[in-house]
Amino acid sequence: MKPWRTPFSLTERLALVAALVAVTALCWPVRGYLTDDTFIHLQYARHLARGQGLVFNVGERVYGCTSPLWVVLIADLMALGMDGLAAARLLGWLSTLAGVVFFMQLARRVLREPATRACAVLAWSTHAWFVRWSLSGMETSLATALVLAGFVAFTEGDRWGARPVRTGALWSLAALARPEAAFLLFLWGLFLILDAQERESVARLFWGMLPPLFVFGTWMVFARYYFGAFWPETLAAKSAGAEGLEFLEDNVRRQLLIVGATDGVLAVALLLAGLLGWRRLLAARRSWTEEFLPLAWMCCLPPLYAARGVQVISRYLVPVLPLLALTAWRALEAWWWPLRSEREDALRAPRARVALGAVALLAAAQNLGVYRGAVLPQVRTFTAAIRSSLEPWGRWFNRHTEPGTLIAAPDIGALGYYSDRPILDLAGLVTPAMVPVLEQTTLEEAVSQFRFAEFARPAFLVDRASRPYLLQARSPFGEALVPLGVARVPNLGLARPEPAYYSIYRVDWSAYERRASRSNAGPGTGPAPP
């Protein structure tokens, strides 16, 4: 009988309960984590719940939310009277628990021994990046749970891919939770085509493509009609200016550091199992067609990020990392616990359990070290920074400006949510007109030269720099900036650990016009060269 068809063993039940308790305990210290991107989702959700549309700024249909499914779920709870941030955290916690459960279900389909499954799920429950984003209000946990649920459906049956409708539907929802999961749908289509070699497989191709066409295809048609775009503007904004070999090398190095920090132990174990036990691995593999999809998803998504110029952070890789972990556990099990005679298996079993347990302890220790040394300090400092800078200034704008007052800023979430005012996004996430500018120059230079004046005249400008009021000193239009205040933040995340300052200005457009006129420059172009 197949392992996934048998009842849970006592070992598996205890391990699953322990994993759920462990992940909940680790989530508790990060329950207050705030990121500015969280408030972008909340802003879209609030307007949707109010009946003002799926928009960041009322009246501006810009596809700036990378997770429409997440936004809709939050909006539903907000429409019922729940606070948006509380709703996002509740959904994140439930999705995190679901991610652990689906990981165990998938382990029961790809791992042979209960002891291996128990070690795998316990190690996964301590994963530092998975825990870090669990209660942040971001969609990471939901996307990870849906990806895993799709692989659970994919691996059901004696032949992988035998549940095409369920698999396609779950991965279609995953693509609405994270845009890169659309690549998983592409791989799913390739699998169905490659596997269509007989009548049964052709029928599976037909049924497997229906959910993506109906669910994700319908959304694509709606997005094109509503936003005028098939893909989020954030994809273009986050890759603007990200070109050249140096960026590519930095991108690859960043991804290796992210993965190595939490999955280095399992990656080394996978490498050793491949080098020393490759014969056993080949003997234990399924057909190449069946193995194609999980391996392609795990191996091709990180290079796709690099090729697209996406500046990768840890949450982008979390939906891939469970597959890396399970691949490592499969390799270790095949290497250390090969299925031979019952007598030989009984002799090898105790040693294999001890070895697998040691790997699980090392993997958990690595992640707990990252959790304590990197995740907790960054969560605390960044949350405090949001609470002491963008949130109070957003509330200040709400109290001291008229509705409809336009504010320009490079970080738009908390300012937009707490001010309830329209935002000109200097980073281009919800202001597409900034993207061509950022493809030509840096964000700092674009703001310094007032390039946004080509298409908008914000009443206020929030600048982010390494010291207070730096923009006023370096911009040729500094006389048009009236300082209002400064907020210091200790860091802008793990990738930018140095202190930063938000300087808030009122923009005097008459002074800007006088300076532009004196320098014989057109609006938005800056002064003419000497």
Side-chain angles (χ1 to χ4, degrees):
M1 183 177 290
K2 297 295 181 181
W4 56 273
R5 289 176 175 166
T6 62
F8 273 77
S9 67
L10 178 61
T11 299
E12 291 171 295
R13 288 198 295 269
L14 292 175
L16 181 57
V17 170
L20 293 173
V21 171
V23 77
T24 300
L26 291 172
C27 285
W28 182 254
V30 299
R31 65 192 181 280
Y33 186 28
L34 290 177
T35 74
D36 194 61
D37 286 352
T38 299
F39 294 100
I40 297 178
H41 291 314
L42 297 183
Q43 181 81 327
Y44 271 93
R46 179 170 63 182
H47 288 151
L48 183 60
R50 289 176 176 175
Q52 296 170 315
L54 189 59
V55 295
F56 187 89
N57 294 325
V58 176
E60 298 179 13
R61 294 185 178 185
V62 178
Y63 192 176
C65 56
T66 54
S67 183
L69 177 61
W70 186 247
V71 168
V72 168
L73 292 174
I74 296 173
D76 288 340
L77 294 178
M78 293 179 76
L80 295 174
M82 194 171 183
D83 174 74
L85 192 54
R89 285 175 173 156
L90 173 62
L91 291 170
W93 179 63
L94 294 176
S95 298
T96 300
L97 297 182
V100 173
V101 172
F102 288 134
F103 184 94
M104 176 56 117
Q105 291 282 13
L106 185 56
R108 283 172 57 80
R109 285 156 172 76
V110 300
L111 301 176
R112 190 178 73 246
E113 299 296 331
T116 316
R117 301 171 207 152
C119 291
V121 74
L122 286 170
W124 173 247
S125 69
T126 66
H127 197 279
W129 303 143
F130 180 56
V131 172
R132 174 187 176 180
W133 297 104
S134 57
L135 301 184
S136 66
M138 298 299 290
E139 74 287 352
T140 308
S141 297
L142 176 64
T144 304
L146 288 170
V147 167
L148 284 170
F151 273 107
V152 170
F154 173 72
T155 53
E156 276 190 26
D158 296 331
R159 182 176 180 180
W160 286 4
R163 303 290 185 270
V165 175
R166 193 184 314 167
T167 304
L170 287 166
W171 283 339
S172 296
L173 293 175
L176 296 180
R178 281 298 307 172
E180 57 266 41
F183 178 61
L184 187 54
L185 286 181
F186 170 75
L187 295 175
W188 170 236
L190 279 183
F191 166 80
L192 291 172
I193 292 171
L194 292 173
D195 199 45
Q197 299 172 358
E198 55 193 39
R199 180 176 298 180
E200 180 184 351
S201 300
V202 173
R204 186 160 54 244
L205 171 62
F206 172 78
W207 290 109
M209 293 306 295
L210 278 184
L213 290 173
F214 180 74
V215 178
F216 191 66
T218 300
W219 166 257
M220 294 277 283
V221 172
F222 169 79
R224 185 67 178 84
Y225 167 76
Y226 190 82
F227 299 115
F230 288 115
W231 301 104
E233 294 289 342
T234 50
L235 297 182
K238 290 187 177 181
S239 60
E243 298 178 355
L245 182 60
E246 182 178 353
F247 174 84
L248 181 62
E249 292 176 348
D250 181 70
N251 192 302
V252 172
R253 182 168 55 252
R254 179 191 296 269
Q255 293 191 56
L256 290 175
L257 289 173
I258 290 172
V259 176
T262 53
D263 297 83
V265 168
L266 291 179
V268 171
L270 176 59
L271 179 62
L272 290 175
L275 291 176
L276 302 178
W278 62 271
R279 289 187 179 87
R280 295 172 182 172
L281 297 183
L282 289 177
R285 79 181 190 280
R286 301 179 70 90
S287 73
W288 290 116
T289 304
E290 292 174 321
E291 295 283 7
F292 157 76
L293 198 151
L295 289 176
W297 168 247
M298 181 180 69
C299 297
C300 294
L301 185 61
L304 182 62
Y305 280 139
R308 281 286 302 158
V310 176
Q311 301 184 38
V312 174
I313 57 178
S314 59
R315 65 184 175 90
Y316 296 172
L317 294 173
V318 172
V320 178
L321 296 179
L323 272 296
L324 172 62
L326 284 170
T327 301
W329 288 110
R330 284 182 70 190
L332 289 173
E333 186 179 66
W335 180 28
W336 289 342
W337 208 334
L339 186 60
R340 297 180 180 177
S341 65
E342 291 186 6
R343 179 181 178 183
E344 187 174 358
D345 189 55
L347 292 173
R348 295 178 64 92
R351 288 177 291 175
R353 290 192 184 99
V354 170
L356 292 169
V359 172
L361 286 174
L362 287 173
Q366 180 185 22
N367 277 277
L368 291 174
V370 173
Y371 174 82
R372 181 177 179 181
V375 171
L376 286 181
Q378 201 277 328
V379 163
R380 290 164 180 161
T381 57
F382 198 76
T383 300
I386 293 286
R387 292 294 191 194
S388 64
S389 59
L390 297 177
E391 179 181 335
W393 273 104
R395 296 184 187 278
W396 185 91
F397 282 121
N398 181 267
R399 294 192 305 268
H400 295 90
T401 64
E402 295 294 325
T405 300
L406 184 62
I407 304 166
D411 298 308
I412 64 173
L415 281 174
Y417 186 73
Y418 287 111
S419 70
D420 204 11
R421 300 292 183 265
I423 303 293
L424 188 160
D425 182 9
L426 297 172
L429 301 181
V430 298
T431 304
M434 281 298 300
V435 175
V437 175
L438 298 175
E439 289 174 344
Q440 301 171 6
T441 186
T442 64
L443 173 61
E444 291 75 15
E445 188 64 20
V447 175
S448 176
Q449 295 296 326
F450 273 47
R451 294 292 301 273
F452 52 86
E454 298 171 4
F455 50 85
R457 295 294 174 94
F460 297 89
L461 172 62
V462 179
D463 180 57
R464 185 183 67 216
S466 58
R467 70 171 192 261
Y469 300 128
L470 179 61
L471 178 63
Q472 188 180 33
R474 69 187 296 265
S475 172
F477 302 105
E479 61 192 84
L481 298 171
V482 181
L484 297 178
V486 173
R488 181 185 183 276
V489 295
N491 64 73
L492 293 172
L494 292 174
R496 292 177 290 180
E498 65 279 354
Y501 296 85
Y502 289 103
S503 300
I504 294 83
Y505 305 95
R506 180 174 60 82
V507 183
D508 183 348
W509 286 104
S510 61
Y512 166 82
E513 295 291 355
R514 290 194 299 271
R515 177 67 175 108
S517 177
R518 289 198 306 268
S519 61
N520 296 319
T525 61

